[in-house]
Amino acid sequence: MIMLTEAQEFIRLYYIETGKEEREMVARLEEIEDEINRRGTYVHTSQELEFGAKVAWRNSNKCIGRLFWQSLTVFDKRDLCKEEDIFEALLDHIEYATNAGRIRPTITIFSSSDVRVWNHQLIRYAGYETQGGVIGDSDSLAFTKVCEGLGWKGEGTNFDVLPLVIQVNNHPPKVFNVPDSYILEVPFRHPEMDWFSDLQLKWYAVPMISSMKLEVGGITYGAAPFNGWYMGTEIGARNLADDYRYNMLPAIAEQMGLNTKSNASLWKDRALVELNTAVLYSFKEDGVSIVDHHTAAHQFKKFEEIERDAGRDVTGNWAWLIPPMSPATTHIFQKPYNNEKVTPNYSYQPNPY
Ligand code: ARG
């Protein structure tokens, strides 16, 4: 009966927040109860699903970008069950979301139980273990092996885009290459430091998370890839900076002529600032949406105010909300957040591989 309770709670929220008539709500609740009693489950209308996906973003405790939750574009692709068709829908998502750089927050929702996208993100770089250390993104080591086991072979560069791996029911997964024309990337250069481009660093434009599940009113959508745009520090203070990822701080500090022998020279901090400057500068110059962490924190403050005025409690995960650079310069650092999980929401699920 868990499903019925969760369905009722969600439907009430939907009707209250969208200002629909009480008697319509009562009728819909009866219909759903009936359906659950007969079949053990029920089917969301497209409007309920769209509302659920948006509120799931609003409830995402780790996300600093939630001010824009209502602007999410929702593609309802629950009718697709062929891998080829799902692949086409994923390409459509990439194209619509990328929008030649004017990134649009987007989610594509597939059939609740039968579809899985094995990738962590729709566009993500491969990682290879070699004698001389890792080439590419160490975060992708396991999944890259899976792709190779399915017959895919990358070029072996630091930035090979992984193929899409799509599974329907218990069929063996199918592998599809993303055509280059769909992949927008930004090569990094620095507004003052000319040598920066020689590092040959770049990143893809749109972070499209495809490994999380969406839970709405007791129904779980295991394949529901979604995206916003990047906050600069995700790339400049984590992906390219973490010593277990691309580990670029030593090379940058070297070029800057800093004393990397002394922690107290703050070479890591100074290299971080320039790397993040390059990320923001390059995205902006290429006309690709991105937000710096100061602006994002301001936007989050606005979100908190709007939610308070709407009579809703904001839940949040402090450790994730604070940016990984200069966190104490943001208001988020200075206050506690309640990390309770409210549904609808997105959450992790076990890898299918
Ligand atoms: N941190 C992840 C990455 O660097 C992306 C997570 C989602 N980020 C976002 N801005 N919506 O790839």
Side-chain angles (χ1 to χ4, degrees):
M1 275 306 79
I2 290 272
M3 178 175 296
L4 180 58
T5 323
E6 290 185 18
Q8 288 168 336
E9 196 187 323
F10 168 67
I11 294 298
R12 289 205 183 94
L13 186 75
Y14 169 69
Y15 277 84
I16 289 166
E17 287 200 22
T18 54
K20 291 200 173 23
E21 294 224 11
E22 170 95 25
R23 70 187 156 75
E24 281 181 70
M25 177 177 83
V26 173
R28 180 63 178 138
L29 284 170
E30 269 172 28
E31 183 177 68
I32 288 174
E33 180 161 6
D34 208 57
E35 203 177 338
I36 293 178
N37 286 337
R38 272 186 295 113
R39 321 175 30 237
T41 187
Y42 71 107
V43 179
H44 288 131
T45 66
S46 270
Q47 291 78 4
E48 289 163 359
L49 189 63
E50 176 171 343
F51 174 78
K54 289 178 176 176
V55 173
W57 183 5
R58 185 174 85 198
N59 288 334
S60 291
N61 290 1
K62 294 172 176 170
C63 179
I64 193 175
R66 284 181 271 168
L67 175 62
F68 303 100
W69 66 274
Q70 289 173 93
S71 73
L72 184 67
T73 295
V74 181
F75 292 124
D76 178 0
K77 295 287 170 186
R78 287 175 294 172
D79 57 329
L80 301 185
C81 52
K82 291 220 318 264
E83 294 87 347
E84 287 73 18
D85 296 339
I86 292 164
F87 171 60
E88 290 300 326
L90 293 177
L91 290 185
D92 289 347
H93 181 132
I94 294 173
E95 186 172 34
Y96 180 88
T98 305
N99 192 27
R102 291 177 48 86
I103 297 172
R104 294 183 277 215
T106 305
I107 185 168
T108 302
I109 303 171
F110 295 100
S111 171
S112 53
S113 47
D114 342 318
V115 179
R116 279 298 291 270
V117 177
W118 283 21
N119 306 62
H120 168 57
Q121 294 183 24
L122 298 185
I123 294 175
R124 190 76 164 163
Y125 299 126
Y128 313 93
E129 200 102 61
T130 73
Q131 305 275 314
V134 171
I135 294 184
D137 194 343
S138 64
D139 194 53
S140 301
L141 288 175
F143 181 64
T144 302
K145 279 217 183 89
V146 168
C147 292
E148 289 170 336
L150 293 168
W152 176 82
K153 193 155 170 29
E155 280 179 47
T157 76
N158 278 318
F159 301 101
D160 294 352
V161 172
L162 288 158
L164 289 166
V165 178
I166 299 165
Q167 181 175 36
V168 175
N169 294 322
N170 297 321
H171 306 163
K174 290 197 182 172
V175 181
F176 302 87
N177 286 314
V178 181
D180 287 345
S181 59
Y182 284 85
I183 305 168
L184 183 61
E185 294 178 301
V186 178
F188 295 135
R189 60 274 186 191
H190 190 284
E192 293 109 35
M193 301 174 172
D194 287 341
W195 49 264
F196 199 95
S197 52
D198 299 336
L199 296 169
Q200 303 216 29
L201 297 175
K202 63 175 176 178
W203 204 256
Y204 51 86
V206 191
M208 293 167 283
I209 301 284
S210 47
S211 56
M212 293 175 82
K213 63 185 175 193
L214 163 65
E215 288 166 298
V216 179
I219 309 263
T220 301
Y221 298 93
F226 59 82
N227 72 276
W229 48 78
Y230 266 115
M231 180 163 82
T233 52
E234 296 184 83
I235 301 168
R238 303 300 312 279
N239 302 345
L240 294 180
D242 281 342
D243 58 6
Y244 56 90
R245 296 288 295 287
Y246 281 79
N247 190 28
M248 291 309 300
L249 297 185
I252 293 168
E254 193 73 31
Q255 286 299 315
M256 290 172 68
L258 303 175
N259 178 5
T260 57
K261 298 278 172 314
S262 156
N263 284 330
S265 75
L266 298 188
W267 63 271
K268 284 189 186 177
D269 311 71
R270 295 179 66 181
L272 260 178
V273 169
E274 302 312 337
L275 171 54
N276 280 273
T277 301
V279 169
L280 292 168
Y281 172 78
S282 306
F283 264 72
K284 285 222 153 90
E285 207 184 45
D286 283 3
V288 178
S289 308
I290 194 157
V291 66
D292 66 82
H293 48 293
H294 303 290
T295 305
H298 265 115
Q299 292 168 343
F300 189 69
K301 187 148 197 276
K302 179 100 205 196
F303 168 73
E304 293 178 81
E305 287 162 7
I306 290 173
E307 291 303 291
R308 188 197 54 211
D309 294 347
R312 294 188 289 259
D313 293 327
V314 172
T315 55
N317 183 337
W318 186 90
W320 275 68
L321 288 171
I322 55 162
M325 274 179 87
S326 317
T329 64
T330 70
H331 78 287
I332 302 169
F333 189 84
Q334 319 294 344
K335 57 179 279 203
Y337 288 87
N338 168 13
N339 195 19
E340 231 169 281
K341 185 182 165 182
V342 181
T343 56
N345 216 320
Y346 300 96
S347 50
Y348 299 139
Q349 57 185 338
N351 283 329
Y353 52 86

Short mmCIF file of all heavy atoms in Angstrom, two decimals, residues 63 120-121 124 203-204 207-209 226-231 234-235 238-239 245 320, ligand 1:
data_model
loop_
_atom_site.label_atom_id
_atom_site.label_comp_id
_atom_site.label_asym_id
_atom_site.label_seq_id
_atom_site.Cartn_x
_atom_site.Cartn_y
_atom_site.Cartn_z
N CYS A 63 21.61 20.35 -5.07
CA CYS A 63 21.67 21.25 -6.24
C CYS A 63 21.56 22.72 -5.84
O CYS A 63 20.58 23.15 -5.24
CB CYS A 63 20.57 20.89 -7.24
SG CYS A 63 20.56 21.96 -8.70
N HIS A 120 26.85 7.17 -17.00
CA HIS A 120 26.66 8.12 -15.90
C HIS A 120 26.14 9.46 -16.43
O HIS A 120 25.24 10.08 -15.85
CB HIS A 120 27.97 8.33 -15.15
CG HIS A 120 27.95 9.48 -14.20
ND1 HIS A 120 27.01 9.58 -13.19
CD2 HIS A 120 28.70 10.60 -14.13
CE1 HIS A 120 27.21 10.71 -12.53
NE2 HIS A 120 28.22 11.35 -13.09
N GLN A 121 26.72 9.93 -17.54
CA GLN A 121 26.20 11.11 -18.24
C GLN A 121 26.15 10.78 -19.73
O GLN A 121 26.92 9.94 -20.20
CB GLN A 121 27.11 12.33 -18.01
CG GLN A 121 27.14 12.80 -16.55
CD GLN A 121 27.98 14.06 -16.34
OE1 GLN A 121 28.20 14.85 -17.26
NE2 GLN A 121 28.47 14.23 -15.13
N ARG A 124 30.41 11.93 -21.76
CA ARG A 124 31.38 11.75 -20.67
C ARG A 124 32.64 11.15 -21.27
O ARG A 124 32.57 10.38 -22.21
CB ARG A 124 30.78 10.77 -19.64
CG ARG A 124 31.54 10.63 -18.33
CD ARG A 124 31.31 11.80 -17.44
NE ARG A 124 31.69 11.58 -16.04
CZ ARG A 124 31.88 12.58 -15.20
NH1 ARG A 124 31.71 13.83 -15.59
NH2 ARG A 124 32.20 12.34 -13.94
N TRP A 203 36.43 20.77 -22.09
CA TRP A 203 35.38 19.98 -21.45
C TRP A 203 34.13 20.05 -22.31
O TRP A 203 33.99 20.98 -23.13
CB TRP A 203 35.07 20.47 -20.01
CG TRP A 203 34.47 19.38 -19.16
CD1 TRP A 203 33.16 19.24 -18.78
CD2 TRP A 203 35.17 18.25 -18.61
NE1 TRP A 203 33.00 18.09 -18.03
CE2 TRP A 203 34.21 17.47 -17.90
CE3 TRP A 203 36.50 17.81 -18.63
CZ2 TRP A 203 34.55 16.28 -17.25
CZ3 TRP A 203 36.83 16.62 -17.98
CH2 TRP A 203 35.87 15.88 -17.30
N TYR A 204 33.24 19.08 -22.14
CA TYR A 204 31.98 19.13 -22.91
C TYR A 204 31.05 20.17 -22.28
O TYR A 204 31.17 20.50 -21.09
CB TYR A 204 31.33 17.74 -22.97
CG TYR A 204 31.19 17.07 -21.63
CD1 TYR A 204 30.07 17.31 -20.83
CD2 TYR A 204 32.17 16.22 -21.13
CE1 TYR A 204 29.92 16.71 -19.59
CE2 TYR A 204 32.04 15.62 -19.88
CZ TYR A 204 30.92 15.87 -19.12
OH TYR A 204 30.78 15.29 -17.89
N PRO A 207 26.28 18.97 -18.89
CA PRO A 207 26.28 17.82 -17.99
C PRO A 207 24.90 17.17 -17.95
O PRO A 207 23.96 17.73 -17.40
CB PRO A 207 26.63 18.45 -16.63
CG PRO A 207 26.09 19.85 -16.71
CD PRO A 207 26.06 20.25 -18.16
N MET A 208 24.77 16.00 -18.57
CA MET A 208 23.46 15.32 -18.65
C MET A 208 23.51 14.01 -17.86
O MET A 208 23.94 12.97 -18.36
CB MET A 208 23.12 15.04 -20.12
CG MET A 208 22.87 16.32 -20.92
SD MET A 208 22.81 16.08 -22.71
CE MET A 208 24.56 15.93 -23.11
N ILE A 209 23.06 14.07 -16.61
CA ILE A 209 23.11 12.92 -15.71
C ILE A 209 22.10 11.87 -16.15
O ILE A 209 20.90 12.15 -16.25
CB ILE A 209 22.79 13.35 -14.26
CG1 ILE A 209 23.77 14.41 -13.78
CG2 ILE A 209 22.77 12.13 -13.33
CD1 ILE A 209 25.13 13.93 -13.41
N PHE A 226 18.73 13.96 -17.28
CA PHE A 226 18.39 15.38 -17.12
C PHE A 226 19.65 16.24 -17.13
O PHE A 226 20.74 15.75 -16.85
CB PHE A 226 17.63 15.61 -15.79
CG PHE A 226 18.41 15.19 -14.57
CD1 PHE A 226 19.37 16.04 -14.01
CD2 PHE A 226 18.20 13.95 -13.98
CE1 PHE A 226 20.08 15.65 -12.88
CE2 PHE A 226 18.93 13.55 -12.86
CZ PHE A 226 19.87 14.41 -12.30
N ASN A 227 19.47 17.50 -17.46
CA ASN A 227 20.62 18.41 -17.45
C ASN A 227 20.23 19.82 -17.06
O ASN A 227 19.09 20.24 -17.24
CB ASN A 227 21.27 18.48 -18.85
CG ASN A 227 20.40 19.26 -19.84
OD1 ASN A 227 19.48 18.69 -20.44
ND2 ASN A 227 20.68 20.54 -20.01
N GLY A 228 21.22 20.53 -16.49
CA GLY A 228 21.17 21.98 -16.40
C GLY A 228 22.37 22.47 -17.17
O GLY A 228 22.75 21.86 -18.16
N TRP A 229 22.96 23.58 -16.72
CA TRP A 229 24.25 24.00 -17.28
C TRP A 229 25.28 23.88 -16.17
O TRP A 229 24.93 23.71 -14.99
CB TRP A 229 24.18 25.42 -17.82
CG TRP A 229 23.56 26.39 -16.88
CD1 TRP A 229 24.12 26.96 -15.77
CD2 TRP A 229 22.20 26.87 -16.93
NE1 TRP A 229 23.21 27.77 -15.14
CE2 TRP A 229 22.03 27.74 -15.82
CE3 TRP A 229 21.12 26.66 -17.81
CZ2 TRP A 229 20.82 28.39 -15.56
CZ3 TRP A 229 19.92 27.31 -17.54
CH2 TRP A 229 19.79 28.17 -16.44
N TYR A 230 26.54 23.97 -16.52
CA TYR A 230 27.60 23.83 -15.53
C TYR A 230 27.74 25.06 -14.64
O TYR A 230 27.53 26.19 -15.06
CB TYR A 230 28.95 23.60 -16.22
CG TYR A 230 29.33 22.14 -16.38
CD1 TYR A 230 29.45 21.56 -17.64
CD2 TYR A 230 29.57 21.35 -15.25
CE1 TYR A 230 29.82 20.21 -17.78
CE2 TYR A 230 29.93 20.02 -15.39
CZ TYR A 230 30.05 19.46 -16.63
OH TYR A 230 30.41 18.14 -16.76
N MET A 231 28.14 24.82 -13.39
CA MET A 231 28.76 25.85 -12.57
C MET A 231 30.27 25.66 -12.80
O MET A 231 30.76 24.51 -12.77
CB MET A 231 28.39 25.67 -11.09
CG MET A 231 29.00 26.71 -10.16
SD MET A 231 28.17 26.78 -8.56
CE MET A 231 28.97 25.43 -7.68
N GLU A 234 32.61 23.05 -11.05
CA GLU A 234 32.46 21.60 -11.26
C GLU A 234 33.59 21.10 -12.16
O GLU A 234 34.13 20.01 -11.97
CB GLU A 234 31.12 21.28 -11.91
CG GLU A 234 29.92 21.63 -11.05
CD GLU A 234 28.63 21.19 -11.73
OE1 GLU A 234 28.25 20.01 -11.61
OE2 GLU A 234 28.01 22.04 -12.40
N ILE A 235 33.92 21.93 -13.15
CA ILE A 235 34.99 21.57 -14.08
C ILE A 235 36.35 22.01 -13.53
O ILE A 235 37.29 21.23 -13.47
CB ILE A 235 34.74 22.24 -15.46
CG1 ILE A 235 33.38 21.80 -16.02
CG2 ILE A 235 35.87 21.91 -16.43
CD1 ILE A 235 32.90 22.63 -17.21
N ARG A 238 37.05 20.65 -9.68
CA ARG A 238 36.88 19.22 -9.41
C ARG A 238 37.38 18.37 -10.59
O ARG A 238 38.43 17.74 -10.49
CB ARG A 238 35.41 18.87 -9.08
CG ARG A 238 34.83 19.65 -7.90
CD ARG A 238 35.58 19.43 -6.59
NE ARG A 238 35.84 18.03 -6.30
CZ ARG A 238 34.97 17.17 -5.76
NH1 ARG A 238 33.76 17.59 -5.40
NH2 ARG A 238 35.29 15.91 -5.53
N ASN A 239 36.65 18.37 -11.70
CA ASN A 239 36.98 17.45 -12.80
C ASN A 239 38.44 17.58 -13.26
O ASN A 239 39.13 16.58 -13.42
CB ASN A 239 36.05 17.66 -13.99
CG ASN A 239 34.58 17.47 -13.63
OD1 ASN A 239 34.27 16.93 -12.57
ND2 ASN A 239 33.69 17.91 -14.48
N ARG A 245 41.42 12.87 -10.43
CA ARG A 245 40.77 13.05 -11.75
C ARG A 245 41.84 13.54 -12.75
O ARG A 245 42.84 12.85 -12.91
CB ARG A 245 39.61 14.04 -11.65
CG ARG A 245 38.46 13.59 -10.75
CD ARG A 245 37.61 12.47 -11.34
NE ARG A 245 36.88 12.82 -12.55
CZ ARG A 245 35.80 13.61 -12.62
NH1 ARG A 245 35.31 14.16 -11.52
NH2 ARG A 245 35.19 13.84 -13.78
N TRP A 320 27.27 19.60 -0.11
CA TRP A 320 27.21 19.69 -1.58
C TRP A 320 26.89 21.10 -2.06
O TRP A 320 27.31 21.50 -3.14
CB TRP A 320 26.14 18.73 -2.13
CG TRP A 320 26.66 17.34 -2.32
CD1 TRP A 320 27.04 16.46 -1.36
CD2 TRP A 320 26.88 16.68 -3.58
NE1 TRP A 320 27.47 15.28 -1.93
CE2 TRP A 320 27.37 15.39 -3.28
CE3 TRP A 320 26.68 17.04 -4.92
CZ2 TRP A 320 27.69 14.46 -4.29
CZ3 TRP A 320 26.99 16.11 -5.91
CH2 TRP A 320 27.49 14.83 -5.59
N1 ARG B 1 29.46 17.56 -11.33
C1 ARG B 1 29.10 16.84 -12.52
C2 ARG B 1 30.19 17.01 -13.58
O1 ARG B 1 31.12 17.74 -13.37
C3 ARG B 1 27.78 17.30 -13.10
C4 ARG B 1 26.59 17.29 -12.13
C5 ARG B 1 25.43 18.10 -12.60
N2 ARG B 1 25.78 19.47 -12.72
C6 ARG B 1 24.96 20.47 -13.16
N3 ARG B 1 25.45 21.66 -13.26
N4 ARG B 1 23.71 20.23 -13.47
O2 ARG B 1 30.16 16.45 -14.65
#
